[in-house]
């Protein structure tokens, strides 16, 4: 059985790219790579990157979840198998975070920026257990670099000061490989700790 079976990867990204756009195509590749690695994917459930990831995972035989919100008055994309609908966008955001065993942030606008920042801050301040987090491509790199200028170079108890909490992956396949390796290694560490109890 694949070590990543039943692990959920929450993917964040823009609702804007349509089928035929390179960002949509990359999202389909990402969904496919995650499903082929044995992951369940979870997105915000709507169009654009969310649809592309859902479609890629579905077409590869993966399980597809979505967390939506009545705030947006939109329909879930047709590739979603299981929808959880919440009242507010804030509830949706934190449910997307809660469901993820790992995360990928794709290119996006202000919504994706908020999602990236919330996950990064929760990891940095240890408001949740460590989980692997990937940004796909180099779109977010300037923001990561600027924030790290503040977080690093001084004594701090927060995680980002000593070890990057967000990994940059150039391709969807690289993102899936990184997540699979990191989750497998964390699972092995937990297994060894449990054996010593």
């Amino acid at each position: 059985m694949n070590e990543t079976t039943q692990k959920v990867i929450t993917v964040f990204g823009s609702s804007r790219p349509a089928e035929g756009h390179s960002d949509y195509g990359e999202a389909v590749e990402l969904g496919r790579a995650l499903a082929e690695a044995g992951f369940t994917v979870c997105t915000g459930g709507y169009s654009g990157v969310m649809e592309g990831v859902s479609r890629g995972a579905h077409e590869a035989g993966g399980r597809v979840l979505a967390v939506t919100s009545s705030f947006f008055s939109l329909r879930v994309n047709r590739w979603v198998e299981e929808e959880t609908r919440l009242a507010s966008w804030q509830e949706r955001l934190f449910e997307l975070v809660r469901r993820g065993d790992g995360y990928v942030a794709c290119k996006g606008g202000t919504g994706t920026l908020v999602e990236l920042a919330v996950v990064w801050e929760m990891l940095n301040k240890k408001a949740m257990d460590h989980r692997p987090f990937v940004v796909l491509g180099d779109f977010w790199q300037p923001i990561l670099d600027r924030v790290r200028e503040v977080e690093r170079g001084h004594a701090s108890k927060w995680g980002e000061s000593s070890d990057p909490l967000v990994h940059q992956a150039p391709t969807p396949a690289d993102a899936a490989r990184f997540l699979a390796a990191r989750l497998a290694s964390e699972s092995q560490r937990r297994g060894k700790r449990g054996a010593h109890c």
Side-chain angles (χ1 to χ4, degrees):
M1 187 164 147
N2 189 326
E3 189 68 36
T4 58
T5 300
Q6 300 303 310
K7 295 288 186 185
V8 176
I9 303 300
T10 296
V11 180
F12 305 112
S14 176
S15 63
R16 292 171 184 86
E19 186 173 358
H21 190 281
S22 60
D23 292 342
Y24 185 96
E26 184 176 61
V28 172
E29 286 179 44
L30 176 62
R32 183 178 300 116
L34 292 171
E36 288 172 353
F39 293 117
T40 293
V41 300
C42 182
T43 73
Y46 298 124
S47 59
V49 167
M50 296 172 279
E51 178 182 308
V53 168
S54 300
R55 179 179 180 172
H58 178 83
E59 289 177 348
R63 185 168 172 232
V64 181
L65 312 177
V67 180
T68 62
S69 171
S70 51
F71 172 81
F72 294 110
S73 302
L74 299 169
R75 294 180 59 105
V76 69
N77 74 66
R78 66 187 174 127
W79 309 103
V80 170
E81 296 170 42
E82 181 183 319
E83 177 186 11
T84 300
R85 191 164 186 83
L86 300 170
S88 71
W89 74 264
Q90 296 95 324
E91 290 171 302
R92 173 181 177 249
L93 168 60
F94 285 102
E95 183 64 12
L96 284 164
V97 173
R98 186 191 70 75
R99 285 188 177 224
D101 293 299
Y103 310 95
V104 180
C106 301
K107 183 176 175 181
T110 56
T112 309
L113 176 61
V114 167
E115 293 157 345
L116 185 158
V118 166
V119 173
W120 195 8
E121 177 66 353
M122 289 178 75
L123 291 169
N124 191 37
K125 297 299 192 297
K126 299 180 173 83
M128 65 179 171
D129 291 337
H130 180 68
R131 299 172 195 180
F133 189 15
V134 175
V135 292
L136 183 57
D138 60 5
F139 180 79
W140 295 111
Q141 199 60 51
I143 291 172
L144 299 178
D145 291 342
R146 293 308 299 258
V147 171
R148 286 173 175 154
E149 287 175 16
V150 175
E151 293 290 332
R152 293 190 174 164
H154 55 86
S156 172
K157 63 182 181 177
W158 306 127
E160 187 64 40
S161 67
S162 59
D163 186 32
L165 298 171
V166 184
H167 174 80
Q168 191 267 337
T171 69
D174 291 325
R177 275 192 296 272
F178 173 81
L179 291 163
R182 188 59 62 96
L183 286 167
S185 124
E186 288 177 9
S187 178
Q188 288 172 350
R189 272 198 309 275
R190 279 193 299 276
K192 287 179 184 175
R193 278 196 306 256
H196 296 295
C197 293

